[in-house]
Amino acid sequence: MDADPAAKISQKTIAVKILAPTQPVAPPAAPGLPIIPVEFDGMTVTPYVAQNTGRLAYSIRATGMRAPRTHAKPKDQA
């Protein structure tokens, strides 16, 4: 989520539970990028109060993961 090498791992990542019948495979790394971009399908975010800290937390779930879609430029803007 954050490619800053100085950031703590807990401050730059999130976990997404993927509820799918088969385990998805991440797309190949994109050249020149420090992270692998992906798109999630059916994403839901559920807020809750964490019992151990009393702080607001989030449960993030998706039904699938895939490589990002690419968008072609319209012919008149090429």
Side-chain angles (χ1 to χ4, degrees):
M1 189 168 161
D2 186 341
D4 181 1
K8 294 179 183 177
I9 191 79
S10 62
Q11 295 174 330
K12 65 179 184 177
T13 63
I14 59 170
V16 177
K17 292 181 183 176
I18 301 175
L19 310 172
T22 59
Q23 181 175 348
V25 177
L33 293 179
I35 58 176
I36 298 174
V38 298
E39 285 188 21
F40 293 102
D41 294 317
M43 181 169 275
T44 60
V45 178
T46 305
Y48 66 95
V49 176
Q51 291 183 357
N52 58 339
T53 63
R55 299 177 87 176
L56 182 62
Y58 299 93
S59 172
I60 304 171
R61 298 174 185 217
T63 57
M65 176 184 73
R66 58 186 152 84
R69 289 176 250 182
T70 58
H71 300 283
K73 292 181 182 179
K75 290 181 181 179
D76 60 344
Q77 293 183 6

